[in-house]
Structures are given as C-alpha cells and as structure tokens.
Amino acid sequence: SQQGEEDPQALSIQEGENATMNCSYKTSINNLQWYRQNSGRGLVHLILIRSNEREKHSGRLRVTLDTSKKSSSLLITASRAADTASYFCATGYGGSQGNLIFGKGTKLSVKP
Amino acid sequence: DGGITQSPKYLFRKEGQNVTLSCEQNLNHDAMYWYRQDPGQGLRLIYYSQIVNDFQKGDIAEGYSVSREKKESFPLTVTSAQKNPTAFYLCASSLDFNYGYTFGSGTRLTVV
C-alpha cells in the first residue's frame, strides 16, 4: 500500500508545549501535504511541501521532508487548546495517480 | 465566498435503498474527489474526476456510482450493493493533486 503512516496515533500535551507528528511513506512522492480535521468536520489544508523542498513554515507550523528516509514531520509550536484535532498527512505521486493518499492520522489533544 | 458544499449533513438509508449525496463547488476546480471515513480511520478514496464527463474508480468503488456532467457538481450515489454504507463521506476539490484540496463539511450516512 502507498498509504502514509502517522506516528504517534495519539498525542496529549499541555497548552504552550510543542507538538510533533511524523509521517512515513513507502515510495517516491511528488509532494506531501498536511491536513487538520476537527471532530465531525471536513479536513482543512495546512501546508504542502514538494519533493525538492526540505522545510516549510506557516505561522506556528513547521514541516520538514526527508526524501531519503521517506518521512515528514509536522511541528506545532506553542500549542493552544484550539489546536486539538486530528492531523493527517497525504502523499501525492503524480503520473497516472491523480489523487492524494491519506494516512490514518494523529489525534492531538491540547489540555488548557 | 468560494467553497464546496455537501448536502445533506445527515442522511438515513433503509436497507435496499439507493441514496445520492450532493457535492457542489464554486472554486472553478477541475478535479473533484469522494472519500469515505470510518471511525478512527483515515480517508479511503471512492471515486475521483479530473475533468468533466470523466471519472476514475478509487480503492473502494464497489457499491458506489458517480457522474460529472458539470464542472461544479460531482454527486455520489450509494447503491444497495454497498453492504456497509454507514460512514462519514467527504467530498473535495482541487486544481489538481499538486495543490491542496478543499473539503466540504461532510455527510454522515446511517443505515436504519
């Protein structure tokens, strides 16, 4: 399966702490994306990193990509209770594969 | 405001019935996608369409059908052949997989 795998499956931290989630995948990708899902809602696109990029920032989010290890990490700095959600990585492969493949997600709980 | 609208939010299906989930976007996106999400799971691709009048099966297309007669619309029919349809269904659109997806707010389908 080409599906990415997030690690850990669940993460519980205190407000103000940093949260790190990891994603591993199996075959070469064109891009990797991170999404957030609040309970019972649709997904929201957070950030896209292309295979020739190593790091991207967006506000309190920092994403790294290591294509040699086939892995990515999402760091949320100074977390807030409102960051409580599930976070999914999705991999894009290009060519005839015209869609993203989503992992099973990391459930983040930020306690006030 | 541009966006993607799914309706209804909740849907109840009796055994043996076909039901249709609506997905409309006004983002002028070429590509549209249907995903299924089961509790605590990631997203699994049902169908996707990269252009009007063309669509491709995803990983779990059995028991589902779609049409793409207009750029803005990509309805999903859950047929009686789908034996376990209770799930959360998410529609998304994008320029293509190289860009972030915009998701609708989902339809929760329950068999009664």
Side-chain angles (χ1 to χ4, degrees), chain A residues 30-31 33 35 37 40-43 45 48 50 88 94 98-100 102-104, chain B residues 33 35 37 41-43 45 48 50 88 90 97-101 103-105 108:
Chain A
N30 183 287
N31 67 70
Q33 304 181 28
Y35 290 79
Q37 183 181 34
R41 308 292 294 274
L43 279 70
H45 180 253
L48 180 153
R50 302 194 189 280
F88 294 88
N99 58 275
L100 294 178
F102 286 80
K104 293 185 178 182
Chain B
Y33 314 84
Y35 286 89
Q37 187 177 33
Q41 299 296 311
L43 279 65
L45 182 69
Y48 66 100
Q50 292 178 291
F88 189 49
L90 287 160
F97 77 97
N98 283 302
Y99 297 86
Y101 285 13
F103 278 85
S105 56
R108 191 166 297 281

Side-chain angles (χ1 to χ4, degrees), chain A residues 2-3 31 33 35 37 41-43 88-93 97-104, chain B residues 4 6 21-23 31-39 41-50 56-61 64-66 74-78 82 84-94 96-109:
Chain A
Q2 293 174 310
Q3 185 179 43
N31 67 70
Q33 304 181 28
Y35 290 79
Q37 183 181 34
R41 308 292 294 274
L43 279 70
F88 294 88
C89 73
T91 44
Y93 292 91
Q97 181 77 43
N99 58 275
L100 294 178
I101 298 177
F102 286 80
K104 293 185 178 182
Chain B
I4 184 165
Q6 288 187 244
L21 284 59
S22 171
C23 179
M32 296 187 75
Y33 314 84
W34 274 106
Y35 286 89
R36 169 179 170 143
Q37 187 177 33
D38 292 286
Q41 299 296 311
L43 279 65
R44 292 186 290 168
L45 182 69
I46 305 172
Y47 270 97
Y48 66 100
S49 168
Q50 292 178 291
Q56 307 296 326
K57 291 183 179 180
D59 300 319
I60 56 166
Y64 300 97
S65 66
V66 293
F74 192 40
L76 173 74
T77 296
V78 184
Q82 171 49 240
N84 185 22
T86 294
F88 189 49
Y89 290 86
L90 287 160
C91 179
S93 71
S94 71
D96 66 37
F97 77 97
N98 283 302
Y99 297 86
Y101 285 13
T102 300
F103 278 85
S105 56
T107 292
R108 191 166 297 281
L109 174 62

